[in-house]
Amino acid sequence: MLANPGSDGSDYLALGDSYTIGEGALEVERWPVQLAGLLRDSGTAISNPDIIAHTGWTTAELQEAIEKSGNQKTYELVSLLIGVNNQYRGQSRARYRAEFRALLQTAIQFAGGRASRVFVLSIPDWGVSPFASDRDRAKIAQEIDQFNAIAQEECRRAAVAFVDITPTTRRAASEPTPGVDSQFTSDGLHYSGKQMRQWAELALPVVSRLLVS
């Protein structure tokens, strides 16, 4: 899904899955939208992001959707957050590495070939959510860590910034009940605007440095 196609600029593209589209949260609560707002508050002129993301997408499905979108724009900033559904579906780490590496190159292309204008957020740990109360949370955490290690290594190889939000998502377990002021949306699985605000705040200093490079 290409959201916000009529934005007033071609500044920022956010690529991902349910965590980027903000499943269960308001559009203004999506972390890329909150990040754009924080950047504007700090004096950086940037439009709200174009978003190519959908709940349930794996790395392969995101790549396919990007190709189908026909998006040929060049952006000043590109973010990528993908992999939770690879882990959820039991796909191999080798497959994730290969497909994530390809997505990094796609993201760099969207940034006009500038790896210095791309950043990646780590995969949140859905195992701490109320939805996962009957799952093997230790196993989920271990697998999330393994996938994140791959993403971080590939980012390092591609000279792409990596922002680790996973510890922040794990602390969300201290507020397990979905509600008005919860860290989770009403489905008990996806993260609320309150939690995603923390992701945006973690990304802000990194992105601010990228935008002056």
Side-chain angles (χ1 to χ4, degrees), residues 144-209:
I144 292 290
D145 285 345
Q146 291 168 345
F147 276 67
N148 277 329
I150 290 169
Q152 187 168 19
E153 182 179 345
E154 292 301 323
C155 284
R156 184 166 53 249
R157 288 178 175 176
V160 166
F162 183 84
V163 181
D164 187 6
I165 64 167
T166 309
T168 300
T169 69
R170 285 173 173 155
R171 287 193 291 271
S174 63
E175 296 185 25
T177 305
V180 174
D181 197 35
S182 175
Q183 301 281 348
F184 298 96
T185 61
S186 60
D187 65 9
L189 171 60
H190 294 96
Y191 292 93
S192 68
K194 179 180 178 181
Q195 170 67 201
M196 288 189 286
R197 175 79 176 192
Q198 297 179 63
W199 308 355
E201 290 171 345
L202 285 170
L204 179 62
V206 175
V207 172
S208 295
R209 290 192 294 269

Side-chain angles (χ1 to χ4, degrees), residues 57-76:
W57 278 354
T58 61
T59 43
E61 290 163 338
L62 174 57
Q63 188 71 269
E64 181 181 3
I66 291 170
E67 293 167 3
K68 287 182 177 179
S69 75
N71 189 340
Q72 299 295 316
K73 293 181 183 180
T74 298
Y75 294 84
E76 291 301 309

Side-chain angles (χ1 to χ4, degrees), residues 81-102:
L81 168 49
I82 193 72
V84 69
N85 295 297
N86 298 69
Q87 180 273 329
Y88 184 81
R89 297 187 199 178
Q91 294 182 358
S92 72
R93 295 191 295 276
R95 176 177 179 177
Y96 176 67
R97 182 184 294 276
E99 293 175 356
F100 182 84
R101 183 182 296 162

Side-chain angles (χ1 to χ4, degrees), residues 30-54:
R30 296 168 176 169
W31 75 262
V33 175
Q34 294 199 63
L35 174 60
L38 290 172
L39 285 166
R40 288 193 294 270
D41 290 344
S42 67
T44 300
I46 191 168
S47 63
N48 279 345
D50 287 348
I51 296 177
I52 303 178
H54 195 276

